[in-house]
Amino acid sequence: MEFDIKKYKDTKKSNTGKHFFITTYGCQMNEEDSEKLSGMLKRIGYTKTESIEDASIVLFNTCCVRENAENKVFGNLGMMKKYKRKNPDLIIGICGCMMQQEGMADKVLKTFPYVDIIFGTHNSYKFPEYLNRVKTEGVQVKEILNKETEIIEGIPIDRENSTKAFVTIMYGCNNFCTYCIVPYVRGRERSRKSEEIIKEIKELVSKGYKEITLLGQNVNSYGKGLEETIDFAKLLRLINEIDGLERVRFMTSHPKDLNEDVISAIKECDKLCEQIHLPVQSGSNRILKEMNRHYDRERYMYLINKIKEEIPNATITTDIIVGFPGETEEDFNDTLSLVKEVGYNAAYTFIYSRRNHTPADRMENQVPDDVKHERFNKLVQAVNEGVIRSNKEYEGKIVEILVEGPSKNDETKLMGRTRNGKLVNFAGDKSLIGQLINLKIVRAQPFSLVGELL
């Protein structure tokens, strides 16, 4: 179904000069959702601001994968009371994964009655309608759909970056890992038609974008349920044929679905970056079974070795959870040994966080917090040792980077990434932003590289 912004065009004049502020929590898919919310607001006359004080609308796009993210949302909603008291016309909205949890929307309204709009992940495209109702009828709007809708194409999007962009290829997840709330808040897997994906990427290239990252909770499941005969490897090969596109990345891959055809596509397609994010979560077969991951350590290591054999210069990154219910010291040591065996280039490490309505939340033998933190610190140390060793290997090498913008740590310098995802900081003119250039790596740092222009 195609999105229609035209029915809200009569509100544009009244919104001119007004500003909106969006705070985003969570993953890249949430970031893209916020870009769409921003795109819709700009199309009906609003201007984005980085200051809550200047905003007529404040939106919180939430995440519920971990408890810490929820606590931040509650804290920020509490702070909004003073802004609402100062400006009664301020419109406060909250959306995203957190709102899809059973009873959460009612909890928010009871605790923070000054919130004006609440909606979930399945109906964010209706935000202009909700906003219009609040403004014209003076009502609170709460609409949470319990079932995913058909995919809506053509939603305006306000990209955060002018060099690289996210492109969602599928929504939802069917895996039901026992610790994960995503299938409950994002719904079942739905793939976009390949023609819509290709069309979006071609439009981005025509605007000067050099790199796109394909998004999905499990990109390797792409194509299931579509009328066309296509899978993820075939989609990658189609995208690789787009003229003017320089780089393609993707995330996230599920080890149970990653196959040799996808690995071959990365090897054979010149625009596919040699970087694979392959979440392992645990190195223990017993824990992997309890997590309902549908692969074991041996299958995972087969994939790792196949990647290293076929794509020797590939970087491999992962996600790891520490302290899953029932995790013993032996289980944890299995994870440590796997980390050392793989030699990850980076890892997103997490302390297990209980999530309501997930099977793991009801499991006995929850690991004490002090044990979780002790294991977490050991894991981070093991990961970092591997990352530092990997970075040292780049000293003296010539690498190609896509210049993304000013360095986050030093705005007098620029930053970019190699094809395989290594972050490089260097001194250079801002006219280089958006260009592919070669640098010599002069120094390896723990989590980045320092380069110089040739």
Side-chain angles (χ1 to χ4, degrees):
M1 189 168 78
E2 195 75 14
F3 179 78
D4 183 13
I5 196 73
K6 293 178 183 176
K7 55 185 174 182
Y8 307 109
K9 65 180 181 180
D10 59 335
T11 66
K12 186 170 183 177
K13 187 175 181 181
S14 63
N15 298 332
T16 302
K18 295 182 179 179
H19 298 82
F20 68 92
F21 177 92
I22 300 179
T23 296
T24 307
Y25 305 84
C27 68
Q28 289 88 348
M29 294 197 77
N30 273 23
E31 291 179 32
E32 195 199 36
D33 288 344
S34 288
E35 289 180 342
K36 289 176 179 176
L37 291 167
S38 178
M40 288 186 282
L41 283 165
K42 285 190 173 183
R43 287 288 292 273
I44 57 174
Y46 287 88
T47 302
K48 192 172 185 179
T49 179
E50 299 301 321
S51 170
I52 290 181
E53 286 83 356
D54 297 335
S56 302
I57 301 170
V58 174
L59 271 176
F60 297 96
N61 187 6
T62 64
C63 171
C64 61
V65 171
R66 279 168 288 280
E67 185 179 14
N68 186 48
E70 290 188 1
N71 291 337
K72 287 181 179 179
V73 172
F74 288 136
N76 285 327
L77 279 179
M79 290 173 56
M80 291 306 301
K81 186 174 183 179
K82 64 180 181 181
Y83 293 105
K84 189 76 167 184
R85 187 183 295 122
K86 183 178 179 181
N87 177 17
D89 293 328
L90 175 65
I91 295 173
I92 302 171
I94 181 168
C95 61
C97 296
M98 187 173 162
M99 295 303 98
Q100 287 291 149
Q101 296 179 91
E102 184 179 345
M104 183 59 74
D106 290 332
K107 179 180 178 180
V108 168
L109 283 178
K110 183 177 180 180
T111 311
F112 311 101
Y114 43 85
V115 171
D116 301 285
I117 307 174
I118 297 179
F119 56 100
T121 58
H122 303 318
N123 55 323
S124 59
Y125 68 95
K126 297 179 71 175
F127 173 61
E129 173 189 326
Y130 304 145
L131 178 60
N132 191 49
R133 285 185 57 195
V134 171
K135 293 177 67 175
T136 60
E137 301 172 24
V139 296
Q140 280 183 320
V141 175
K142 181 194 80 170
E143 186 165 291
I144 310 295
L145 303 184
N146 293 324
K147 186 171 176 60
E148 58 274 10
T149 62
E150 62 181 306
I151 292 175
I152 310 298
E153 298 287 356
I155 299 174
I157 186 162
D158 175 33
R159 305 282 181 179
E160 286 290 321
N161 191 291
S162 60
T163 299
K164 59 180 187 174
F166 296 128
V167 174
T168 298
I169 65 169
M170 62 182 298
Y171 300 87
C173 182
N174 292 352
N175 289 309
F176 289 93
C177 300
T178 55
Y179 55 82
C180 186
I181 200 168
V182 168
Y184 306 96
V185 297
R186 284 282 181 178
R188 302 294 78 76
E189 292 175 352
R190 292 101 65 211
S191 296
R192 293 178 67 194
K193 296 177 182 178
S194 63
E195 63 188 70
E196 295 291 348
I197 297 168
I198 299 297
K199 176 184 173 183
E200 181 177 352
I201 295 172
K202 285 183 175 179
E203 288 177 353
L204 288 167
V205 171
S206 71
K207 295 175 181 177
Y209 285 84
K210 299 288 199 306
E211 176 182 305
I212 57 104
T213 299
L214 307 175
L215 297 181
Q217 259 79 35
N218 179 14
V219 291
N220 299 118
S221 291
Y222 175 79
K224 295 177 182 177
L226 289 177
E227 292 182 4
E228 59 180 314
T229 303
I230 191 169
D231 59 13
F232 186 50
K234 184 176 180 180
L235 177 68
L236 289 175
R237 289 187 166 94
L238 288 174
I239 292 171
N240 192 67
E241 296 173 3
I242 297 176
D243 290 336
L245 181 62
E246 298 286 350
R247 291 180 172 184
V248 181
R249 305 185 192 276
F250 59 84
M251 63 188 311
T252 294
S253 288
H254 195 298
K256 80 175 180 65
D257 295 314
L258 179 64
N259 59 41
E260 293 184 18
D261 198 14
V262 172
I263 296 172
S264 295
I266 299 169
K267 177 183 179 180
E268 296 163 8
C269 297
D270 63 315
K271 295 172 185 177
L272 296 186
C273 292
E274 298 81 7
Q275 178 185 18
I276 299 180
H277 185 71
L278 196 62
V280 65
Q281 307 302 3
S282 175
S284 161
N285 282 340
R286 190 181 72 83
I287 294 298
L288 287 171
K289 186 175 181 179
E290 290 293 314
M291 289 178 166
N292 196 40
R293 292 291 287 174
H294 297 289
Y295 59 85
D296 57 20
R297 180 186 179 118
E298 290 70 30
R299 167 63 181 170
Y300 185 87
M301 287 307 305
Y302 169 80
L303 291 170
I304 293 296
N305 291 329
K306 189 68 177 177
I307 292 167
K308 289 182 177 181
E309 175 187 333
E310 297 292 326
I311 318 165
N313 59 333
T315 57
I316 301 171
T317 59
T318 196
D319 297 342
I320 304 173
I321 294 172
V322 168
F324 184 83
E327 181 188 70
T328 65
E329 197 66 23
E330 182 180 357
D331 294 322
F332 174 67
N333 286 333
D334 284 344
T335 298
L336 279 184
S337 68
L338 183 138
V339 166
K340 293 172 183 177
E341 185 176 355
V342 174
Y344 290 109
N345 298 95
Y348 299 94
T349 51
F350 306 101
I351 293 174
Y352 168 71
S353 179
R354 298 178 72 165
R355 301 284 75 203
N356 289 336
H357 311 300
T358 60
D361 183 48
R362 300 187 293 272
M363 290 180 180
E364 297 180 357
N365 300 321
Q366 298 287 331
V367 178
D369 285 346
D370 59 336
V371 175
K372 289 181 187 178
H373 283 88
E374 181 182 352
R375 291 176 183 170
F376 178 79
N377 291 336
K378 289 181 181 178
L379 175 64
V380 170
Q381 182 179 349
V383 169
N384 289 349
E385 287 173 356
V387 174
I388 291 169
R389 282 196 302 271
S390 170
N391 284 352
K392 288 291 288 184
E393 294 175 1
Y394 282 79
E395 289 186 341
K397 289 185 177 181
I398 306 299
V399 299
E400 178 194 76
I401 73 159
L402 175 61
V403 185
E404 297 180 12
S407 170
K408 294 181 179 179
N409 297 325
D410 183 353
E411 291 194 358
T412 66
K413 294 184 178 180
L414 298 176
M415 59 79 65
R417 292 185 185 275
T418 64
R419 283 179 58 92
N420 55 13
K422 290 288 185 179
L423 175 64
V424 185
N425 294 297
F426 69 101
D429 189 88
K430 290 186 177 180
S431 62
L432 294 173
I433 294 173
Q435 295 186 35
L436 289 162
I437 64 170
N438 289 326
L439 296 175
K440 181 178 180 180
I441 303 303
V442 295
R443 188 169 74 255
Q445 296 179 323
F447 305 107
S448 64
L449 303 171
V450 178
E452 63 179 21
L453 291 166
L454 296 176

